[in-house]
Amino acid sequence: MTVEDVKQARQAVEFSREKLESVLRGRFFYAPAFDLYGGVSGLYDYGPPGCSFQANVVDQWRKHFILEEDMLEVDCTMLTPYEVLKTSGHVDKFSDWMCRDLKTGEIFRADHLVEEVLEARLKGDQEARGLVKDANAEAEEDADKKKRKKKVKQIKAVKLEDDVVKEYQHILAQIDGYSGPELGEMMKKYNIGNPVTGEPLEPPMAFNLMFETAIGPSGQLKGYLRPETAQGQFLNFNKLLEFNNGKTPFASASIGKSFRNEISPRAGLLRVREFLMAEIEHFVDPLDKSHPKFHEVKDIKLSFLPRNIQQSGSTEPLVTTIGEAVASKMVDNETLGYFIARIYLFLIKIGVDDTKLRFRQHMANEMAHYAADCWDAELKTSFGWIECVGCADRSAYDLTVHANKTKEKLVVRQKLETPVEVTKYEIDLTKKLFGPKFRKDAPKVEAYLTELSQEELEKKAEELKTNGKIVFTVKGIEGEIELDDKFVVIEKRTKVEHVREFVPNVIEPSFGIGRIIYSIFEHSFWSRPEDTARAVLSFPPLVAPTKVLLVPLSNHKDLAPVTAQVSKILRKEQIAFRVDDSGVSIGKRYARNDELGTPFGITIDFDSVKDGSVTLRERDSTKQVRGSVEAVIKAVREITYNGASWEEGTKDLAPFVSQSDAE
Amino acid sequence: MTVEDVKQARQAVEFSREKLESVLRGRFFYAPAFDLYGGVSGLYDYGPPGCSFQANVVDQWRKHFILEEDMLEVDCTMLTPYEVLKTSGHVDKFSDWMCRDLKTGEIFRADHLVEEVLEARLKGDQEARGLVKDANAEAEEDADKKKRKKKVKQIKAVKLEDDVVKEYQHILAQIDGYSGPELGEMMKKYNIGNPVTGEPLEPPMAFNLMFETAIGPSGQLKGYLRPETAQGQFLNFNKLLEFNNGKTPFASASIGKSFRNEISPRAGLLRVREFLMAEIEHFVDPLDKSHPKFHEVKDIKLSFLPRNIQQSGSTEPLVTTIGEAVASKMVDNETLGYFIARIYLFLIKIGVDDTKLRFRQHMANEMAHYAADCWDAELKTSFGWIECVGCADRSAYDLTVHANKTKEKLVVRQKLETPVEVTKYEIDLTKKLFGPKFRKDAPKVEAYLTELSQEELEKKAEELKTNGKIVFTVKGIEGEIELDDKFVVIEKRTKVEHVREFVPNVIEPSFGIGRIIYSIFEHSFWSRPEDTARAVLSFPPLVAPTKVLLVPLSNHKDLAPVTAQVSKILRKEQIAFRVDDSGVSIGKRYARNDELGTPFGITIDFDSVKDGSVTLRERDSTKQVRGSVEAVIKAVREITYNGASWEEGTKDLAPFVSQSDAE
């Protein structure tokens, strides 16, 4: 089988998600957590091959991003006090809308409910018009694609007015953009209730997606499990900047679990309540977002789905180089572009199919509350296009809100080569007069005055000049306050500044490792055309859970010493391997191992005992070659770690013909 | 400086914890989490060097244990439903005792409170007797050693009766063994209240140390953050056994965060609320706990503190080989012994000082609720001996309780080479009669009967034979139940069994990674005798956060290409390095880097531009050698990854004399 043959064979049998899931669970790549206790939806455990695959992906991530770019890795706590997430906006805005049925206790996610009921009515209409044969079967398929339960159990063939159809279609086209109250209005207007009983539901309530807990024995320090790793990085900004000798740009990075209390996740690795994230926060001067290594990636061609294409209703991507994309301003700046290209290179390296990868720009109304712009790397799976990596420009949002809240500066100080003259209004307070006049309110009044903007100061300066006093009110203090020029001086002053102070902007590539892993499972999975029961997971050797299957031909004791010798060398070279000395046939053992995605098999037979030679088998092509133990292991190393192709890696080994795969 | 000189230098200046902590925080090895918001006690973030050190320790752990022993690594969820931890015993038993002061709202950990109050009174007595000068200062020191706040603010010099002194001493000797009610009794008897106000406290209440949360939107599925990674491994036992082709012994392993809501943790990495654990569950036949690789470790000498030495009041360890320890039954079996030795080898490899390491056996009353025997690897620090690795025999406890609760078998089935005859009582139910007679209670009655023990079956068989019926009651069903021999047959039968079924025992080595890391910080820290302001962290190169500091002599542009060239090679070889091109003197840059524990410095000067040679500096001895870039990097690789000594690794390089360290 040539490389071309393998490519064809991989396309020959239609992909079946059911078959993939059966292999993944059967080989314990993953399993529902607490299975023994009936399971908890949205929680999964990784078994040995899944865990090892995950560890290899994380290891490659660390090398590709952290080591390559000298990023500063941190490991911050998951438990996060209320105050931090209140400031970041998550307490108020990180929620979905849910509706309760007070009679049955059922809980629905409001946007999904409206979407599914309207879709079901449209399907019923189509059946009534004779355009669809079985509306229920179609709805079942749609629900499955979205990994949800079909909520509307029985669709009735009822024809709708033409303008109602149009209204429904209009709503569905922008279903992601509605607020809770808007969804509630629609539910009233279109009489949307419990899809089974038809009974009305409570109006949509915001359900915060963070898991809440109490820190310490008093129960009074409210905390959450973090919804992202980013906040820990922002809070440590000053320490990171100091560690980096005060210089920007620089990036921090973090790999760790985050949590989202999804309203009703259905089985599957794509929507889970506890998940591994890898996040980079690249801190950059807002006035200079160029990147010194952009030229290294500028010629890489990518598929883009920018806002304007989406608005036109098309999903046909624009294929162009990242250099062009930045030059044309479709992608805002070099740093954002550099990371988009690096994300692409990483995903390809670990096994993503590049024909199933696109970069989609967020529409204005779907961005997270902190984002100024965002491109998602989306991977195509049987569930549709899935957001797997976000690459957001969070601007100065997070550093600013934390600095405002804590009154600690989170800024970069840059020595200016040529000092600049700056003219601005300044206010001086005669503090010793404030205490006697305002008593306990003095700090509030002082804070109010020192936080006035340039614009406000200009007005107050005018007022002070004209009236000899300023009049204002301060929140929390009753009545008007008057101060004359004994208390305050407001002046326009010109100063020479030697240091520029700025809040850096943040470019954030954020990876959902579990979603990437599941997508690679789909992209790697195929069935052998000659025997469709034989499934293969064609992982790149670099990230395959195990690199080598060691197969003694039989359990005969003469073979044991060779097996032990090869094991010892593989262990010393730290090449992950497993011995399969179960009694079943070689063919069956290879078949089992193809399902585990192990790229190489080393077979030990009676000739091995005589001349020390062993057979090396390649998973995808089932090709075999033969040579000394050392030569075979060298080939494995070259192909796995040094990027050699099978042909290059095995050029010194002899071809070998066996019937083992035909058994 | 020879190796011997370095050894002496490391001992010359007395250890100062304050100095170590100042270096660790100053260089951002770690920092209190949410510092900007005032911090939360018991929560810490690792900065870049701490995070990298941790990643290297975990990487070595994976290689030393998982890869070496073909362990099955799993990654299970942290969120855990109530039911699982109820069954495992954690809901009922994983708690400390706390006392509240209802007036002030203060909360005290009961055992610590009693301990400190009694100790303070004994100190006061000693001062009154003229045996101690300043009881308050001594108590301050003690509290610091235990990482607690000194609760008794003012110790009064009050003489106690001699028999009261004896009573107090007796209680203190076994303070870890009292229950909450016992502590409550003592507080009443000895009038122990709030140590500042003297007011009485609420009686001790059990405070569960698990963080509680609700899973899903209904708020009705109660869950906890896991207190250990072990439960996930036990729950997946059947899948793991199948993955291992049904064979035992085998081990699973897991690396991940666990959580304990400590009552009042004081600053420091030793008692934290969120921590990284690495746990192994080795499943073994209870009838055969031998280990095939025990002979490889049997001659390793270790320091043991078995139960009998502790009971005698001594802390003088017994130094002997692990082979002897197992042969004499001090350590129960080969598997436990094998892991103890492997733990030792691991700790030494990553930088633990072997004169500060001992294995202490748990006393019967201090073991966790699930443990049958336990040895702790304890590391000596300025806080005393700290438990860093537990090596427990959990027997069949966990698998048994989960199997009983879920009615799922968690057993190994072993084909017997020679079938055995087994005689036992069996009960047959005529199930078709149960439904009509018991209706909805039928399953309860059937379950009651099929779960009778052999002993109970023997009695019931006798009863049936004698009376023609059996009479019994079932929990949840009113009244007595009578069944005759139409409903049940109970007989003693002899069968030939070809399969042996058993619940494996579990040997569990459990590593607290954070505690190990902090201990290594202490073991590695010293100050240069010639300039005590210059601190060094002498990490083994293998786990050092960064391996190489790259130091261009100046910022002159001619040096930049050589720096770039060396960087490129180091990056390609995946040797972690940092460039320090800050303007400060070479000496200052080396000093900063010694604090970061970086083992090697590569200096680039103007000769480098001419002949391509660079200087290699060793951190501890400050020795320097010179050679080509390739030769120097080869030396770094040999010493860091292949275990070569400095002398072996640099034998082909020329000695080099410089003043840089004297600057």
Side-chain angles (χ1 to χ4, degrees):
Chain A
M1 255 186 149
T2 64
V3 174
E4 207 41 52
D5 291 341
V6 171
K7 234 184 214 171
Q8 277 184 19
R10 286 182 62 167
Q11 307 296 331
V13 184
E14 207 192 342
F15 173 80
S16 150
R17 191 201 299 162
E18 209 185 346
K19 213 156 133 188
L20 168 64
E21 285 186 350
S22 144
V23 166
L24 292 175
R25 293 196 184 203
R27 296 297 169 211
F28 200 10
F29 275 85
Y30 75 94
F34 316 110
D35 219 2
L36 217 54
Y37 283 79
V40 176
S41 55
L43 295 179
Y44 292 88
D45 293 341
Y46 284 107
C51 186
S52 171
F53 190 74
Q54 178 183 266
N56 294 341
V57 166
V58 167
D59 184 49
Q60 286 308 317
W61 193 89
R62 212 174 239 134
K63 284 172 179 156
H64 186 87
F65 292 103
I66 296 182
L67 197 62
E68 182 66 28
E69 317 277 358
D70 295 331
M71 291 176 180
L72 307 181
E73 189 179 349
V74 295
D75 183 17
C76 304
T77 62
M78 298 170 199
L79 288 164
T80 307
Y82 169 87
E83 205 62 19
V84 170
L85 293 161
K86 176 73 183 171
T87 306
S88 69
H90 287 88
V91 169
D92 296 324
K93 292 176 193 158
F94 193 70
S95 49
D96 283 338
W97 297 94
M98 68 170 185
C99 300
R100 266 194 306 209
D101 183 325
L102 289 179
K103 282 191 189 152
T104 64
E106 281 171 285
I107 293 173
F108 302 92
R109 198 173 132 176
D111 53 346
H112 289 178
L113 178 71
V114 170
E115 186 180 12
E116 280 157 41
V117 170
L118 297 190
E119 275 175 356
R121 288 182 190 168
L122 288 176
K123 286 241 161 67
D125 170 74
Q126 291 216 300
E127 195 179 322
R129 289 171 193 245
L131 298 168
V132 152
K133 255 198 176 164
D134 186 347
N136 280 293
E138 280 215 353
E140 187 70 57
E141 210 171 281
D142 280 5
D144 187 48
K145 274 218 173 152
K146 288 180 183 151
K147 280 243 154 181
R148 299 183 194 150
K149 263 184 224 155
K150 186 186 157 205
K151 293 198 179 74
V152 182
K153 296 301 168 201
Q154 193 53 45
I155 297 176
K156 287 179 199 129
V158 177
K159 188 167 178 302
L160 304 169
E161 299 296 323
D162 287 359
D163 55 345
V164 172
V165 169
K166 275 204 185 130
E167 262 181 70
Y168 284 6
Q169 284 168 340
H170 181 76
I171 290 168
L172 289 172
Q174 42 193 329
I175 190 71
D176 290 340
Y178 292 109
S179 70
E182 285 169 338
L183 291 165
E185 280 306 307
M186 270 178 238
M187 290 170 64
K188 262 196 221 153
K189 182 170 174 193
Y190 300 115
N191 196 24
I192 297 173
N194 183 318
V196 175
T197 65
E199 295 282 328
L201 304 172
E202 274 198 318
M205 291 193 311
F207 174 68
N208 194 291
L209 298 178
M210 294 192 293
F211 286 97
E212 192 180 316
T213 192
I215 302 171
S218 74
Q220 280 158 14
L221 181 55
K222 189 158 143 182
Y224 298 98
L225 295 177
R226 66 179 176 199
E228 54 172 13
T229 72
Q231 296 305 321
Q233 301 181 59
F234 298 135
L235 293 183
N236 282 305
F237 173 75
N238 281 343
K239 295 187 185 96
L240 289 163
L241 181 66
E242 191 193 336
F243 188 84
N244 206 47
N245 294 331
K247 290 181 187 170
T248 49
F250 75 90
S252 61
S254 193
I255 303 165
K257 296 275 167 79
S258 294
F259 302 81
R260 289 186 195 189
N261 198 5
E262 298 282 353
I263 290 178
S264 60
R266 208 182 144 197
L269 290 179
L270 293 178
R271 190 168 287 277
V272 294
R273 286 174 165 156
E274 182 177 327
F275 48 95
L276 189 64
M277 288 183 104
E279 289 190 306
I280 294 165
E281 310 300 332
H282 182 89
F283 299 96
V284 62
D285 186 340
L287 303 182
D288 178 11
K289 295 187 180 178
S290 65
H291 196 287
K293 286 158 80 180
F294 185 69
H295 66 277
E296 293 179 14
V297 300
K298 73 178 187 346
D299 295 328
I300 294 174
K301 268 200 177 159
L302 303 171
S303 290
F304 294 97
L305 206 60
R307 240 171 244 158
N308 60 351
I309 292 186
Q310 296 172 66
Q311 274 159 350
S312 77
S314 164
T315 55
E316 194 58 48
L318 172 69
V319 179
T320 186
T321 65
I322 188 70
E324 269 306 311
V326 170
S328 71
K329 283 280 158 200
M330 180 175 78
V331 168
D332 185 67
N333 59 73
E334 279 191 3
T335 297
L336 200 58
Y338 179 73
F339 279 112
I340 286 175
R342 294 283 301 162
I343 290 166
Y344 168 84
L345 292 173
F346 171 71
L347 292 174
I348 299 308
K349 189 194 283 181
I350 62 171
V352 163
D353 177 346
D354 77 344
T355 66
K356 295 176 178 169
L357 164 57
R358 72 180 184 194
F359 288 90
R360 189 178 71 80
Q361 191 172 27
H362 273 206
M363 304 302 284
N365 65 357
E366 69 175 311
M367 278 193 291
H369 64 268
Y370 46 73
D373 190 12
C374 187
W375 287 85
D376 283 343
E378 292 187 332
L379 302 180
K380 195 178 179 184
T381 71
S382 62
F383 299 106
W385 287 94
I386 303 298
E387 169 200 343
C388 289
V389 187
C391 196
D393 185 337
R394 291 176 82 134
S395 68
Y397 175 83
D398 302 272
L399 294 181
T400 305
V401 294
H402 288 302
N404 287 347
K405 176 73 190 174
T406 62
K407 309 287 173 216
E408 294 274 351
K409 275 192 169 183
L410 297 172
V411 295
V412 176
R413 284 180 193 83
Q414 196 178 52
K415 211 182 156 191
L416 293 170
E417 302 217 351
T418 33
V420 290
E421 278 198 354
V422 177
T423 303
K424 59 181 180 189
Y425 284 94
E426 289 186 339
I427 185 163
D428 302 329
L429 311 182
T430 315
K431 288 212 180 169
K432 62 175 183 192
L433 299 180
F434 277 66
K437 184 172 171 81
F438 297 106
R439 312 244 158 212
K440 70 172 177 37
D441 286 336
K444 271 191 206 161
V445 178
E446 291 174 22
Y448 172 83
L449 293 170
T450 51
E451 284 167 18
L452 289 171
S453 68
Q454 282 295 307
E455 224 169 33
E456 292 164 326
L457 278 176
E458 187 177 353
K459 277 187 208 152
K460 290 288 171 209
E462 193 58 39
E463 187 183 343
L464 192 61
K465 201 173 146 194
T466 315
N467 308 338
K469 64 181 183 184
I470 55 174
V471 183
F472 55 95
T473 57
V474 175
K475 212 181 146 187
I477 301 177
E478 264 187 46
E480 287 194 334
I481 298 170
E482 285 190 15
L483 293 177
D484 63 21
D485 53 15
K486 283 194 214 83
F487 282 83
V488 289
V489 176
I490 307 176
E491 282 180 354
K492 198 174 192 175
R493 292 173 193 150
T494 298
K495 279 187 182 171
V496 178
E497 290 192 347
H498 298 265
V499 172
R500 177 184 156 229
E501 211 176 75
F502 64 89
V503 181
N505 278 15
V506 175
I507 309 287
E508 178 192 77
S510 169
F511 296 70
I513 300 294
R515 289 183 166 194
I516 295 172
I517 286 176
Y518 176 78
S519 302
I520 296 174
F521 288 160
E522 280 208 6
H523 294 189
S524 306
F525 186 74
W526 56 291
S527 304
R528 298 209 187 270
E530 66 274 21
D531 177 1
T532 56
R534 289 187 59 179
V536 188
L537 279 163
S538 286
F539 301 133
L542 192 61
V543 290
T546 300
K547 314 306 181 196
V548 174
L549 170 75
L550 206 56
V551 202
L553 196 67
S554 80
N555 278 329
H556 196 286
K557 69 173 175 24
D558 285 359
L559 299 183
V562 187
T563 309
Q565 182 214 349
V566 181
S567 298
K568 204 174 161 187
I569 300 176
L570 287 169
R571 195 164 278 136
K572 185 161 177 286
E573 300 233 354
Q574 301 187 331
I575 294 172
F577 72 101
R578 288 198 75 78
V579 178
D580 188 346
D581 53 5
S582 66
V584 300
S585 76
I586 293 270
K588 274 197 187 132
R589 284 186 269 173
Y590 280 146
R592 179 155 68 194
N593 228 67
D594 291 347
E595 290 191 354
L596 283 163
T598 308
F600 304 107
I602 294 180
T603 316
I604 292 158
D605 55 26
F606 291 95
D607 286 339
S608 310
V609 181
K610 280 183 235 156
D611 64 7
S613 71
V614 292
T615 302
L616 179 67
R617 170 187 182 269
E618 200 273 331
R619 174 195 59 208
D620 298 350
S621 64
T622 73
K623 270 190 196 162
Q624 302 201 27
V625 292
R626 193 156 180 118
S628 70
V629 173
E630 290 70 24
V632 160
I633 290 178
K634 182 167 174 254
V636 169
R637 198 178 45 229
E638 285 302 309
I639 301 169
T640 305
Y641 299 109
N642 298 334
S645 67
W646 170 259
E647 283 65 33
E648 288 157 21
T650 60
K651 65 180 190 298
D652 299 333
L653 297 168
F656 183 76
V657 181
S658 125
Q659 284 107 28
S660 58
D661 263 275
E663 274 179 45
Chain B
M1 254 184 150
T2 64
V3 175
E4 208 40 54
D5 292 340
V6 172
K7 234 184 215 170
Q8 277 184 18
R10 288 182 60 168
Q11 307 296 332
V13 184
E14 205 190 344
F15 173 80
S16 150
R17 191 201 298 161
E18 210 186 345
K19 214 156 132 187
L20 168 64
E21 286 186 351
S22 141
V23 167
L24 292 175
R25 293 196 184 202
R27 297 296 170 211
F28 200 10
F29 275 85
Y30 74 95
F34 316 110
D35 219 0
L36 217 53
Y37 282 80
V40 176
S41 55
L43 295 180
Y44 293 89
D45 292 340
Y46 284 107
C51 187
S52 172
F53 190 75
Q54 177 183 266
N56 294 341
V57 166
V58 167
D59 184 49
Q60 286 308 316
W61 192 88
R62 213 175 238 133
K63 284 173 178 157
H64 186 87
F65 291 103
I66 297 182
L67 197 61
E68 183 66 28
E69 318 276 358
D70 295 330
M71 291 175 180
L72 306 182
E73 189 178 349
V74 294
D75 183 16
C76 304
T77 62
M78 299 170 197
L79 288 165
T80 308
Y82 170 87
E83 205 63 19
V84 170
L85 292 161
K86 175 73 183 172
T87 305
S88 70
H90 288 88
V91 169
D92 297 325
K93 292 176 190 157
F94 192 71
S95 49
D96 283 338
W97 297 94
M98 69 168 185
C99 300
R100 267 194 306 206
D101 184 324
L102 289 179
K103 283 193 189 150
T104 65
E106 280 171 285
I107 293 174
F108 301 93
R109 197 173 132 174
D111 54 344
H112 288 178
L113 177 73
V114 170
E115 185 180 12
E116 281 157 42
V117 170
L118 296 190
E119 275 175 355
R121 288 182 190 168
L122 287 175
K123 286 241 161 69
D125 171 73
Q126 291 216 303
E127 193 178 324
R129 288 173 194 246
L131 297 169
V132 153
K133 256 197 175 165
D134 186 348
N136 279 293
E138 279 214 354
E140 189 70 56
E141 210 170 279
D142 280 5
D144 186 48
K145 271 215 174 153
K146 288 178 182 152
K147 279 243 155 182
R148 299 183 195 152
K149 263 184 223 155
K150 186 185 157 204
K151 294 198 179 71
V152 183
K153 296 300 168 200
Q154 192 54 45
I155 297 176
K156 288 181 197 127
V158 177
K159 189 170 177 301
L160 304 169
E161 298 297 322
D162 286 359
D163 54 345
V164 171
V165 169
K166 275 204 185 128
E167 262 182 71
Y168 284 6
Q169 284 169 340
H170 181 76
I171 290 168
L172 289 172
Q174 42 194 327
I175 190 70
D176 289 340
Y178 292 109
S179 69
E182 285 169 340
L183 290 166
E185 280 306 308
M186 270 178 235
M187 289 170 65
K188 263 196 221 151
K189 182 170 173 192
Y190 300 116
N191 196 24
I192 297 172
N194 183 318
V196 175
T197 65
E199 295 283 328
L201 304 173
E202 274 197 318
M205 293 192 310
F207 174 69
N208 194 291
L209 298 178
M210 294 191 292
F211 287 96
E212 193 180 316
T213 193
I215 304 172
S218 75
Q220 280 159 14
L221 181 56
K222 190 159 142 180
Y224 297 99
L225 295 177
R226 67 178 176 199
E228 55 173 13
T229 71
Q231 296 305 321
Q233 300 182 58
F234 298 136
L235 294 183
N236 282 305
F237 174 75
N238 281 343
K239 295 188 187 93
L240 290 164
L241 180 66
E242 189 192 336
F243 188 84
N244 206 47
N245 294 332
K247 290 182 188 171
T248 50
F250 74 90
S252 62
S254 194
I255 303 165
K257 295 275 166 76
S258 295
F259 302 82
R260 288 185 196 192
N261 198 3
E262 298 283 353
I263 290 178
S264 61
R266 208 181 144 195
L269 291 179
L270 293 178
R271 190 167 286 278
V272 294
R273 286 175 165 155
E274 182 178 326
F275 49 96
L276 189 63
M277 289 183 104
E279 290 191 305
I280 294 164
E281 311 299 332
H282 182 89
F283 299 96
V284 62
D285 186 339
L287 303 182
D288 178 12
K289 295 188 180 177
S290 65
H291 196 287
K293 286 159 79 178
F294 185 69
H295 66 275
E296 291 179 14
V297 301
K298 72 178 187 349
D299 296 327
I300 295 173
K301 268 199 176 159
L302 303 171
S303 290
F304 294 98
L305 206 59
R307 242 172 242 157
N308 61 352
I309 292 186
Q310 295 173 65
Q311 273 158 350
S312 78
S314 164
T315 55
E316 194 57 49
L318 172 69
V319 178
T320 187
T321 64
I322 188 69
E324 268 306 312
V326 170
S328 70
K329 283 277 157 201
M330 180 174 79
V331 169
D332 184 67
N333 59 72
E334 278 190 4
T335 297
L336 200 57
Y338 179 74
F339 278 112
I340 286 174
R342 294 282 301 163
I343 290 166
Y344 167 85
L345 292 173
F346 171 71
L347 292 175
I348 299 307
K349 190 193 282 181
I350 61 170
V352 163
D353 176 346
D354 77 345
T355 66
K356 294 177 178 169
L357 165 57
R358 72 180 183 191
F359 288 90
R360 189 178 72 80
Q361 191 174 27
H362 273 206
M363 305 302 285
N365 64 359
E366 70 175 310
M367 276 192 291
H369 65 269
Y370 46 73
D373 191 12
C374 188
W375 286 84
D376 282 344
E378 293 187 332
L379 301 181
K380 195 176 179 184
T381 71
S382 61
F383 298 107
W385 288 94
I386 302 298
E387 170 201 343
C388 290
V389 187
C391 196
D393 185 339
R394 291 176 83 134
S395 67
Y397 175 82
D398 302 272
L399 293 182
T400 306
V401 294
H402 287 302
N404 287 346
K405 177 71 191 174
T406 61
K407 309 287 173 216
E408 293 275 352
K409 276 192 167 181
L410 297 171
V411 295
V412 176
R413 286 180 192 83
Q414 197 177 50
K415 212 182 155 191
L416 293 169
E417 301 217 352
T418 35
V420 291
E421 277 198 353
V422 178
T423 303
K424 59 180 180 189
Y425 283 94
E426 289 187 337
I427 185 164
D428 302 329
L429 311 183
T430 315
K431 289 208 179 170
K432 62 175 181 191
L433 300 179
F434 277 67
K437 185 173 169 83
F438 297 108
R439 312 241 158 210
K440 70 171 178 36
D441 286 336
K444 271 192 205 161
V445 179
E446 290 174 21
Y448 172 83
L449 293 171
T450 50
E451 284 167 18
L452 289 172
S453 69
Q454 281 294 309
E455 224 170 33
E456 292 165 326
L457 278 177
E458 187 177 352
K459 278 187 206 150
K460 290 287 172 210
E462 193 58 39
E463 188 183 342
L464 191 61
K465 202 173 146 193
T466 314
N467 306 339
K469 64 178 184 186
I470 56 173
V471 183
F472 56 95
T473 57
V474 175
K475 214 180 145 189
I477 301 179
E478 263 190 46
E480 286 193 335
I481 298 170
E482 282 191 18
L483 293 177
D484 62 22
D485 52 15
K486 282 194 215 85
F487 282 82
V488 290
V489 177
I490 308 176
E491 281 180 355
K492 197 174 192 174
R493 292 174 193 150
T494 298
K495 280 189 181 167
V496 177
E497 290 194 346
H498 298 266
V499 171
R500 176 183 157 231
E501 212 176 75
F502 64 89
V503 182
N505 278 13
V506 174
I507 308 287
E508 178 192 78
S510 169
F511 295 71
I513 300 293
R515 287 182 168 195
I516 294 172
I517 286 176
Y518 177 78
S519 303
I520 296 174
F521 287 161
E522 278 209 6
H523 293 190
S524 307
F525 187 74
W526 56 291
S527 303
R528 299 210 186 270
E530 66 274 20
D531 177 1
T532 57
R534 288 187 59 180
V536 188
L537 279 164
S538 285
F539 301 132
L542 192 61
V543 289
T546 299
K547 313 304 181 196
V548 173
L549 171 74
L550 206 56
V551 201
L553 196 65
S554 79
N555 277 329
H556 196 286
K557 71 174 173 26
D558 286 358
L559 300 183
V562 187
T563 309
Q565 181 213 352
V566 180
S567 299
K568 203 174 162 187
I569 301 175
L570 287 169
R571 196 165 278 136
K572 186 161 177 287
E573 299 234 354
Q574 301 187 332
I575 295 172
F577 72 101
R578 289 199 75 78
V579 177
D580 188 346
D581 53 5
S582 66
V584 301
S585 75
I586 292 270
K588 274 199 186 129
R589 284 186 269 172
Y590 279 147
R592 179 157 67 192
N593 229 66
D594 290 348
E595 291 191 354
L596 284 164
T598 308
F600 305 107
I602 294 180
T603 315
I604 292 159
D605 54 27
F606 292 94
D607 286 341
S608 309
V609 182
K610 279 183 236 157
D611 63 7
S613 70
V614 293
T615 303
L616 179 67
R617 170 187 182 267
E618 200 274 331
R619 173 194 60 208
D620 299 351
S621 64
T622 72
K623 269 189 196 163
Q624 302 201 27
V625 293
R626 193 156 178 117
S628 70
V629 173
E630 289 71 24
V632 160
I633 291 178
K634 183 167 172 253
V636 168
R637 198 177 47 228
E638 285 302 310
I639 301 169
T640 304
Y641 299 109
N642 298 332
S645 67
W646 170 259
E647 282 66 32
E648 288 158 20
T650 60
K651 65 181 188 302
D652 299 332
L653 297 168
F656 183 77
V657 181
S658 125
Q659 285 106 28
S660 59
D661 262 89
E663 273 180 44

